């Protein structure tokens, strides 16, 4: 396994001062900046588009980890790549041809991720692992922050860890949803090496961010 990385989700940041918030979590020790893109179609919420990613890009040199909860996803991939995304993660359900979508992300010079919703079976990644740089397990149903961790996803994390190790490739295994000081060590024990945390990172304001991130990393 790789060292545990912390990717604060700006979904829980103060949207009135996103640039300041990104700088604050960067300084507080975030490894990646996680950007949740929602379209109010694939998921029941509406967040940000490529223009916001482009505007935030100068505020941090950390990798921008962009989770595309949109359908159809293919028409937006190039725009987010040009806006400054480093990692683009997509859902198998968000387009007709997952393999082709991953090929497109790689052709743009970006790292490619596949996201598994709570009901999405692990087998969906078996024939695309050669193209994948990241696997993201949703431990809540996507669309909203602040939800409770779904315990059944721990088995999925374990199953994906087995697949990653067998592949011999350096594929990140990320978990997103209900991550806090209690659930973080459980996710790590199951095999996760990257934690997305929104509420657990941004609670308490900028002065608390470093301690929040350190607590998750220490798990």
């Amino acid at each position: 396994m790789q060292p545990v990385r912390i990717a604060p989700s700006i979904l829980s940041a103060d949207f009135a001062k996103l640039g300041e918030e990104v700088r604050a979590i960067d300084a507080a020790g975030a490894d990646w900046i996680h950007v949740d893109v929602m379209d109010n179609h694939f998921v029941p919420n509406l967040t940000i588009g490529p223009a916001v990613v482009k505007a935030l890009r100068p505020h941090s040199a950390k990798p921008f980890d962009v989770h595309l909860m949109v359908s159809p996803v293919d028409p937006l991939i190039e725009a987010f790549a040009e806006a400054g995304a480093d990692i683009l993660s997509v859902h198998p359900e968000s387009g007709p041809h997952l393999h082709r979508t991953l090929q497109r992300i790689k052709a743009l010079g970006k790292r490619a991720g596949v996201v598994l919703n709570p009901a999405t079976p692990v087998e969906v990644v078996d024939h695309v692992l050669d193209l994948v740089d990241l696997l993201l397990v949703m431990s809540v149903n996507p669309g909203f922050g602040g939800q409770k961790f779904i315990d059944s996803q721990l088995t999925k994390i374990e199953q994906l860890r087995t697949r990653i190790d067998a592949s011999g490739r350096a594929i990140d295994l990320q978990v997103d949803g209900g991550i806090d000081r209690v659930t973080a060590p459980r996710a790590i024990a199951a095999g996760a090496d990257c934690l997305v945390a929104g509420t657990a990172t941004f609670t308490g304001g900028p002065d608390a961010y470093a301690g929040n991130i350190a607590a998750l990393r220490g798990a």
Side-chain angles (χ1 to χ4, degrees):
M1 283 178 56
Q2 305 179 73
V4 174
R5 275 71 43 81
I6 306 298
S9 169
I10 64 171
L11 183 65
S12 297
D14 183 344
F15 270 50
K17 48 183 180 182
L18 271 182
E20 294 175 37
E21 291 278 66
V22 167
R23 292 197 302 273
I25 57 173
D26 184 324
D31 297 292
W32 298 350
I33 310 299
H34 189 81
V35 182
D36 286 308
V37 178
M38 305 179 185
D39 66 355
N40 197 33
H41 171 70
F42 185 69
V43 293
N45 203 348
L46 184 65
T47 56
I48 66 177
V52 176
V53 173
K54 183 177 180 179
L56 292 176
R57 185 68 273 185
H59 293 273
S60 175
K62 300 285 176 66
F64 272 25
D65 171 30
V66 177
H67 174 192
L68 296 173
M69 289 169 271
V70 301
S71 178
V73 72
D74 291 340
L76 287 170
I77 287 172
E78 187 167 350
F80 278 99
E82 292 178 351
D86 297 289
I87 307 164
L88 289 166
S89 296
V90 300
H91 291 253
E93 301 89 351
S94 66
H97 305 294
L98 177 60
H99 190 278
R100 180 178 293 162
T101 300
L102 297 173
Q103 284 181 315
R104 180 59 178 154
I105 294 171
K106 302 286 280 189
L108 290 167
K110 306 301 180 179
R111 302 185 71 224
V114 175
V115 190
L116 278 66
N117 284 336
T120 305
V122 296
E123 289 79 9
V124 75
V125 304
D126 283 349
H127 299 290
V128 295
L129 279 180
D130 58 319
L131 290 172
V132 169
D133 301 295
L134 178 146
L135 294 172
L136 168 53
V137 174
M138 292 301 300
S139 43
V140 299
N141 285 294
F144 298 96
Q147 299 184 68
K148 183 180 178 181
F149 187 93
I150 299 173
D151 290 341
S152 63
Q153 300 310 295
L154 291 168
T155 299
K156 183 180 291 180
I157 297 168
E158 293 171 352
Q159 292 171 340
L160 290 173
R161 169 51 55 196
T162 298
R163 283 167 164 77
I164 291 171
D165 291 346
S167 77
R169 301 187 64 241
I171 299 172
D172 298 303
L173 181 49
Q174 188 177 66
V175 181
D176 181 1
I179 293 294
D180 56 27
R181 301 182 190 201
V182 174
T183 57
R186 299 175 67 200
I188 294 167
D193 54 27
C194 184
L195 304 177
V196 176
T199 304
T201 298
F202 286 96
T203 295
D207 290 342
Y209 294 169
N212 293 342
I213 291 171
L216 292 172
R217 198 188 309 281

